[in-house]
Amino acid sequence: MFRTALRNVLAHKARLLMTVLAVMLGVAFVSGTLVFTNTISDAYQNSSAKGFKGVDVAVTAEYQDSKGDQVGRTPDLTQAMLGKAAKVPGAASATGVVSGFTAIADKHGKLIGVGWQSEGGNYWGTKDARYPLVSGHAPSGANEVLIDSKTAERASYQVGDTVRVSVNGPVLTPTVAGIFTTDDGNVAAGGSLALFDTATAQQLFGKKGAYDEIDVTAKSGTGQATLKSQLDRALPKKLVKTTTGQKLADDQAKSIADGMSGLRQGLLVFAGIALFVGTFIIANTFTMLVAQRTKELALLRAVGASRRQVTRSVLIEAFVVGAVAGVAGLVAGIGIGAGLRALLGSFGATVPDGPLVVSPGTVAAALAVGVVITMLAAWLPGRRAAKIPPVAAMSALHSAPTTKSLVLRNTIGALFSAAGVAVILAATTMEGSDGQAPMGLGAVLLIIGVFVLTPLLSRPLIAAAAPLLRGFGVAGKLARQNSVRNPRRTAATASALMIGLTLITGMTVMAGSLQKSIDKMASSAIRADYVVSMANGNALSPDVAKKLATADGVSASSPLRNAASRIDGDTESLTGVNGSAIGKLTDLTVDSGSFRVGGSDVVVDDDTAKSHGWKAGSGFTVHYEDGKAQKLTVAGVYEGNEMIRGIMVDNATLTPHETDPADMQVMVKTADGASGAAKDKLEKVLGSNPAIKVQDKQDLSDSIAQAFTLILNMVYGLLAMAVIVAVLGVINTLAMSVFERQQEIGMLRAIGLDRKAVKRMVRLESLVISLFGGVLGLGLGVFFGWAAGQLVGAKMPTYELVLPWSRMALFLLLAGVVGVLAALWPARRAARLNMLAAIKSE
């Protein structure tokens, strides 16, 4: 039986090619994902490990939780602590570290790198072993800075050049005193690093004689654990935390691996979708192959082969196909992994250097997926073939399934579909994350149910296309009849395309609806013409708000200042605003009371008010950061949203209690409204600072929606794999169908159907099947998009369903194009059949 199975594989190489391709694409996606994420993770881990080479023990400040009504805070690492750390017996040296956001502009005034990757720090003494100098000298004073070699190369900076730098708002213009090399992971990933002398860094980053971290190196012969114990005894336990360099490297490696796991899981989901679609094709292919060899299998049974041996022979074929596809998919996956890494560069992302990682786990996963998926898909057709009695099998090549044979299938499909719809509808009534798991379960049940019901659905939906097909004469009529001749085959072919379009449509509906709701939120909640913030999301210097308030053409402005406080024993964030101007800058719906902020009067969003049991007129006591208490009154309760929420307090009331005031953003309204000229004027007032963003309402909306757009484009690209697999399925089905109907096509040719009509018949059949799958996919996608929107709408009052009719029409058009392209080769093959040879064939 083993030799027979191998001969069958070699005898039907052309028939199995599409199956191999379908499995190979799925395996390539899985192995490519594993290679890509392992490579990126390994590169970052190696890069970060280099950064801990000179650190045996790191000392950091321990956050002090609040006591009573005092607001918790992180203490400073003082100069005295640094001195104690340097004097412990096992310490060779101790370095004080200061760091923070530092934006460097290129020679065109644009920010170098991404905001969160733009870092600054201190250069220790005149020769810092952490940052070897390539040229120049150590920085001295506020007018000198060092920049990393990669940033200097990208922006063409040299020692002696003047560079524009920003820490928290104001623009600095120091001279490049030197250029250094570094193993910093952010720099390796395309960011930038600027270094000042320690005193300047402390002043710029608000440390004032203190440090963010103290790095201690051990003397020769002293282990990291021993040094840590010595530091624990010398330093105040309740104020600091000590961590060995090895532990820091391990934690960083784990953090990177955890970060990569999310990306890996997301990519593997799409690989699973491609494999799921491919499973239909494999099962469909083996069903047709087995049907074509029914007499051959019956003969084997007649000469003594058992049912188990017949099933085993089909599984052996599947094993060979899966193994070949697995090896080919692994090779293709390695190429995909390398390509994805290179593709990151085209998006502006830089990955640390490192080798391509192909782990034994990746190889095993690729081969296992290829073999297991193929054998599982082939098991049912093989089992079904083995159950056919030899005499019955020899009497007919194959027989179409009867209506009665579909009754059980339709019943099961109806039950699954009903259960899926019921679970999804129930999930839409839940709040937020509580409904995610039930909705996912409902979606799976509904997709399975629709797939099982597809043979039943194919007849009425394809019949609806009959009027259009009549325009193509006999070829159109034959195409419609061929489409519904074998409902199971049509269903398997259309379902592959249906799944891809379901996901694409659902994501498109969600993205369009979220974009609309964000636009609506920005336009309805904000009256300000512009919102000014830092590029990395950090706090602005208070000087920015002062400059904007006195700028020419500004009619109203307000900084939004965050501060921690204690209310009713809980930590609560306060938002400081300009009480006299905030009403002119926002347009929030007030549920009760009045929108009045000033003195002891505050306004509170509805969620916060509900959690504390407040209403208009309620009073409460707030304990500020400095420990002082004040009685405040809720003047009004407003409807909060994703852009504006919280307890709004007048800055005149809040600021005296803050030790280091900082603004998260500044809202600005101009006399002449938003315009390009007004925006340019504001940017010039701020010194054309590349680290500061000046955004109008549309910019705000676009920046929030940018993440959705990026995700959507990634989904389109990833799901294209599933669509490609579906195309192979259509080609495969049509090619098998043409092979099965050789006699029929020969007879049609003999009674007058010319080659053009034969081609048209096959193409129309493919078009109808593809459009059938497209219609099902669009319908399910819209339903899933609506259902997911109900969960989002519970937290976003401005959410409304938006159906992207133009894109859905494009998706349906693409489904038709898929059908036409998939039919090219099978149609050409059918038209070239020799009619006499075809009529004589069995």
Side-chain angles (χ1 to χ4, degrees):
M1 293 303 296
F2 180 75
R3 288 196 299 271
T4 302
L6 289 181
R7 288 197 190 99
N8 282 327
V9 172
L10 297 175
H12 304 120
K13 294 187 290 290
R15 301 185 203 173
L16 292 171
L17 177 62
M18 296 300 174
T19 302
V20 171
L21 287 174
V23 180
M24 185 197 76
L25 283 172
V27 173
F29 209 158
V30 171
S31 55
T33 294
L34 295 175
V35 168
F36 171 66
T37 53
N38 288 342
T39 297
I40 299 300
S41 179
D42 185 71
Y44 275 111
Q45 286 179 21
N46 290 338
S47 177
S48 66
K50 291 178 183 177
F52 295 115
K53 275 185 177 179
V55 182
D56 289 312
V57 178
V59 181
T60 54
E62 185 81 318
Y63 176 79
Q64 301 298 300
D65 198 3
S66 54
K67 296 180 180 179
D69 292 318
Q70 298 294 316
V71 178
R73 61 183 294 273
T74 302
D76 292 329
L77 295 178
T78 63
Q79 187 68 34
M81 292 180 184
L82 176 66
K84 287 183 179 180
K87 291 178 182 178
V88 298
S93 64
T95 302
V97 178
V98 185
S99 60
F101 169 70
T102 304
I104 304 176
D106 61 19
K107 292 185 177 180
H108 302 288
K110 302 298 183 182
L111 177 67
I112 297 175
V114 183
W116 61 270
Q117 292 176 326
S118 302
E119 289 291 322
N122 65 311
Y123 189 84
W124 190 253
T126 57
K127 189 175 182 181
D128 194 330
R130 299 173 298 167
Y131 308 112
L133 288 173
V134 176
S135 59
H137 57 82
S140 177
N143 292 322
E144 289 190 342
V145 67
L146 302 181
I147 60 175
D148 67 271
S149 56
K150 290 189 177 181
T151 298
E153 182 181 351
R154 279 188 290 167
S156 300
Y157 280 127
Q158 297 179 346
V159 174
D161 288 346
T162 299
V163 61
R164 296 172 64 83
V165 175
S166 175
V167 172
N168 63 350
V171 177
L172 308 174
T173 54
T175 300
V176 177
I179 296 172
F180 63 93
T181 59
T182 176
D183 292 322
D184 186 278
N186 282 331
V187 174
S192 62
L193 180 61
L195 299 177
F196 306 90
D197 66 34
T198 299
T200 302
Q202 288 174 325
Q203 181 181 357
L204 290 174
F205 301 132
K207 288 302 170 183
K208 299 178 182 178
Y211 303 97
D212 293 304
E213 183 175 306
I214 297 173
D215 291 341
V216 186
T217 56
K219 289 180 179 178
S220 178
T222 302
Q224 291 185 354
T226 302
L227 179 60
K228 180 181 183 301
S229 299
Q230 294 173 349
L231 289 168
D232 286 338
R233 289 193 293 269
L235 299 174
K237 295 180 180 179
K238 294 184 178 180
L239 298 180
V240 302
K241 177 183 178 182
T242 58
T243 311
T244 63
Q246 185 60 52
K247 179 71 162 53
L248 287 173
D250 292 343
D251 289 347
Q252 183 72 10
K254 184 177 183 302
S255 175
I256 292 171
D258 290 343
M260 284 293 111
S261 69
L263 175 62
R264 181 185 292 114
Q265 288 172 7
L267 292 172
L268 286 176
V269 165
F270 292 100
I273 292 168
L275 284 169
F276 186 53
V277 172
T279 302
F280 296 151
I281 298 168
I282 300 164
N284 205 21
T285 301
F286 274 93
T287 298
M288 289 184 284
L289 286 174
V290 169
Q292 291 167 10
R293 290 165 34 212
T294 304
K295 285 188 176 180
E296 175 187 328
L297 296 175
L299 184 60
L300 288 174
R301 290 287 312 282
V303 296
S306 66
R307 287 184 178 183
R308 184 174 297 178
Q309 286 178 311
V310 170
T311 303
R312 194 181 301 150
S313 71
V314 175
L315 290 178
I316 291 171
E317 291 182 49
F319 175 83
V320 173
V321 171
V324 171
V327 172
L330 175 62
V331 174
I334 294 172
I336 289 174
L340 286 174
R341 176 174 172 170
L343 190 62
L344 284 180
S346 65
F347 290 118
T350 307
V351 180
D353 295 332
L356 204 64
V357 178
V358 184
S359 66
T362 300
V363 176
L367 295 176
V369 166
V371 172
V372 172
I373 291 293
T374 309
M375 291 184 70
L376 284 176
W379 175 76
L380 189 58
R383 183 171 177 273
R384 190 183 298 132
K387 291 174 67 176
I388 301 174
V391 176
M394 289 182 181
S395 64
L397 180 62
H398 50 262
S399 57
T402 63
T403 304
K404 289 183 179 180
S405 68
L406 296 172
V407 171
L408 179 61
R409 176 176 180 141
N410 294 340
T411 303
I412 294 173
L415 291 174
F416 268 90
S417 299
V421 171
V423 173
I424 289 173
L425 292 178
T428 59
T429 63
M430 300 178 183
E431 291 189 6
S433 58
D434 293 340
Q436 291 178 3
M439 186 163 290
L441 174 62
V444 172
L445 290 174
L446 182 54
I447 287 179
I448 293 173
V450 171
F451 168 68
V452 175
L453 282 176
T454 306
L456 178 66
L457 298 173
S458 64
R459 292 186 179 275
L461 289 178
I462 292 177
L468 296 175
L469 293 175
R470 287 196 194 104
F472 294 95
V474 175
K477 183 177 180 180
L478 290 171
R480 185 184 67 81
Q481 292 174 348
N482 290 335
S483 301
V484 296
R485 177 184 294 182
N486 192 329
R488 283 196 177 96
R489 183 185 302 170
T490 298
T493 306
S495 295
L497 195 57
M498 175 194 77
I499 292 171
L501 286 179
T502 294
L503 296 170
I504 290 173
T505 304
M507 289 296 297
T508 304
V509 170
M510 278 294 297
S513 300
L514 285 171
Q515 177 68 66
K516 179 72 174 178
S517 63
I518 291 168
D519 290 343
K520 194 174 178 180
M521 186 187 299
S523 61
S524 63
I526 300 176
R527 287 181 184 171
D529 295 315
Y530 297 100
V531 174
V532 179
S533 60
M534 291 292 286
N536 69 330
N538 280 1
L540 287 162
S541 165
D543 293 338
V544 173
K546 293 177 183 177
K547 288 183 179 180
L548 291 170
T550 58
D552 183 34
V554 173
S555 59
S557 69
S558 173
L560 271 65
R561 184 168 298 168
N562 287 353
S565 70
R566 297 284 292 183
I567 299 174
D568 297 335
D570 297 325
T571 300
E572 193 77 62
S573 179
L574 303 176
T575 302
V577 298
N578 182 347
S580 61
I582 192 65
K584 302 173 185 177
L585 299 167
T586 59
D587 189 15
L588 299 167
T589 301
V590 179
D591 291 337
S592 61
S594 61
F595 197 85
R596 186 175 69 255
V597 182
S600 62
D601 289 336
V602 301
V603 293
V604 184
D605 71 282
D606 47 3
D607 287 342
T608 303
K610 184 179 179 181
S611 66
H612 287 279
W614 296 337
K615 59 183 179 179
S618 295
F620 62 92
T621 300
V622 61
H623 295 264
Y624 296 109
E625 182 183 337
D626 60 358
K628 294 181 180 180
Q630 183 180 5
K631 183 80 172 181
L632 299 179
T633 302
V634 178
V637 178
Y638 67 91
E639 290 183 8
N641 56 54
E642 295 300 318
M643 293 187 172
I644 302 176
R645 62 172 66 246
I647 304 172
M648 291 191 193
V649 185
D650 194 348
N651 275 327
T653 303
L654 177 64
T655 304
H657 301 285
E658 292 188 278
T659 55
D660 188 18
D663 304 325
M664 295 310 298
Q665 58 185 29
V666 181
M667 301 177 105
V668 179
K669 190 171 182 63
T670 57
D672 299 327
S675 66
K679 185 175 182 178
D680 290 341
K681 188 182 294 184
L682 291 178
E683 289 177 342
K684 287 179 181 178
V685 167
L686 298 174
S688 300
N689 192 327
I692 297 179
K693 297 186 294 184
V694 179
Q695 297 175 294
D696 59 21
K697 293 179 185 180
Q698 190 58 50
D699 293 333
L700 279 174
S701 178
D702 291 345
S703 64
I704 296 173
Q706 187 176 11
F708 300 121
T709 304
L710 178 61
I711 292 171
L712 186 64
N713 289 335
M714 286 180 63
V715 169
Y716 284 161
L718 294 170
L719 288 178
M721 183 71 75
V723 175
I724 291 172
V725 174
V727 172
L728 292 174
V730 178
I731 296 173
N732 206 10
T733 299
L734 291 173
M736 294 290 188
S737 179
V738 167
F739 179 83
E740 286 180 356
R741 301 192 328 244
Q742 287 186 79
Q743 274 191 335
E744 177 186 317
I745 293 171
M747 288 296 295
L748 290 172
R749 290 289 315 282
I751 61 176
L753 197 67
D754 60 18
R755 288 186 174 181
K756 285 185 179 180
V758 171
K759 285 184 180 179
R760 190 180 300 121
M761 176 186 71
V762 177
R763 289 171 184 165
L764 288 174
E765 180 182 347
S766 175
L767 179 63
V768 167
I769 293 173
S770 297
L771 289 177
F772 168 55
V775 169
L776 288 180
L778 290 177
L780 284 175
V782 169
F783 178 68
F784 290 148
W786 167 83
Q790 296 302 300
L791 289 181
V792 175
K795 292 291 184 181
M796 189 179 290
T798 56
Y799 183 86
E800 63 176 89
L801 181 66
V802 175
L803 295 181
W805 295 107
S806 58
R807 288 207 177 189
M808 290 195 296
L810 178 61
F811 295 157
L812 195 59
L813 177 63
L814 288 175
V817 171
V818 164
V820 172
L821 293 178
L824 290 178
W825 176 62
R828 185 168 178 268
R829 182 183 176 189
R832 295 182 64 183
L833 286 175
N834 182 291
M835 67 179 74
L836 295 179
I839 291 172
K840 289 192 296 181
S841 66
E842 293 189 5

